[in-house]
Amino acid sequence: MVAWLLDHDKIAVPLGPDPAPLAVTGAGRAECSIRFYDAVLDLAHDAAGEDRVTAWCTEADAEALAELTAGECGATVRRLAVPGAAPLAVTGEVRVRSRYRSGEGAGLRLTLAWPAGLRGTAAPVGGGLVRHGAPLAAPGDACWCTRHDCGGLVPTPGCTEHGTAAAPAMEWHPGGGIRCADLARRRPGSAGRPCAPSPSQARRRLR
């Protein structure tokens, strides 16, 4: 039905009931907030693959996205909320893979793509990528940092092991992304929720 309406110039962009809000920042800090319609999110199964989102948008929004993603490092998705999927964020290397028109005067069908290893969970407030730090040494009993099922942690400023004064050496990875989920699966007894704080950490903070 949507294809027929587009081909016969009855509508400009298919206006579905659940648009996907997209917030993008370019290399020059320029920002763009648009709505995707009839969005389809295709996520790779491993970090070597490529994630894609394909959706309808207005021609003006397509032009704005093309400009933001044309830089050497692509653009950053601060937040993409596709119905049926958790909000995600991607740091850099987001590019317009393809766009095409169906019908005279219709909107554009646009595909954005990025390396799957960059994908992570979007922060609940303000967008941006949630990251966890994987310490080079296992945290001790004195550690007060928030721990996650993947083994990563978010440093607490007052922690003697990982706080501001300790300047910990960590390897950071996107929380909720492929790397985070893979680390969680490798850990014995993991619940498989890479972004969930560890219950033992919650008890430790109460003592």
Side-chain angles (χ1 to χ4, degrees):
M1 182 65 177
V2 167
W4 185 91
L5 290 171
L6 284 166
D7 288 339
H8 292 78
D9 303 327
K10 301 298 183 182
I11 58 175
V13 177
L15 302 177
D18 297 310
L22 172 70
V24 180
T25 302
R29 308 309 299 169
E31 297 185 0
C32 179
S33 296
I34 71 171
R35 289 192 173 195
F36 275 170
Y37 296 91
D38 192 26
V40 177
L41 188 60
D42 184 13
L43 301 180
H45 294 291
D46 59 74
E50 182 181 68
D51 293 337
R52 301 180 189 178
V53 58
T54 302
W56 293 100
C57 68
T58 66
E59 187 166 353
D61 283 339
E63 290 295 333
L65 277 173
E67 183 177 347
L68 286 181
T69 60
E72 183 177 349
C73 299
T76 291
V77 170
R78 297 201 321 278
R79 186 177 182 88
L80 172 62
V82 173
L88 59 85
V90 184
T91 302
E93 298 190 42
V94 176
R95 300 188 181 280
V96 175
R97 184 178 179 87
S98 66
R99 55 179 178 173
Y100 67 89
R101 186 190 309 278
S102 177
E104 185 66 27
L108 294 179
R109 188 70 167 168
L110 188 76
T111 297
L112 289 181
W114 57 85
L118 300 177
R119 181 211 328 148
T121 300
V125 178
L129 197 64
V130 174
R131 290 183 179 273
H132 299 156
L136 299 182
D141 292 337
C143 176
W144 283 79
C145 302
T146 302
R147 302 185 193 183
H148 295 261
D149 289 343
C150 64
L153 54 83
V154 178
T156 299
C159 176
T160 57
E161 292 186 58
H162 308 103
T164 305
M170 293 190 184
E171 182 181 0
W172 295 87
H173 62 276
I178 288 178
R179 173 85 190 285
C180 193
D182 185 54
L183 288 172
R185 284 193 296 267
R186 296 179 193 174
R187 290 174 62 83
S190 170
R193 296 186 299 274
C195 281
S198 166
S200 63
Q201 175 64 19
R203 290 193 295 270
R204 186 181 297 109
R205 294 175 73 90
L206 291 175
R207 289 205 297 264

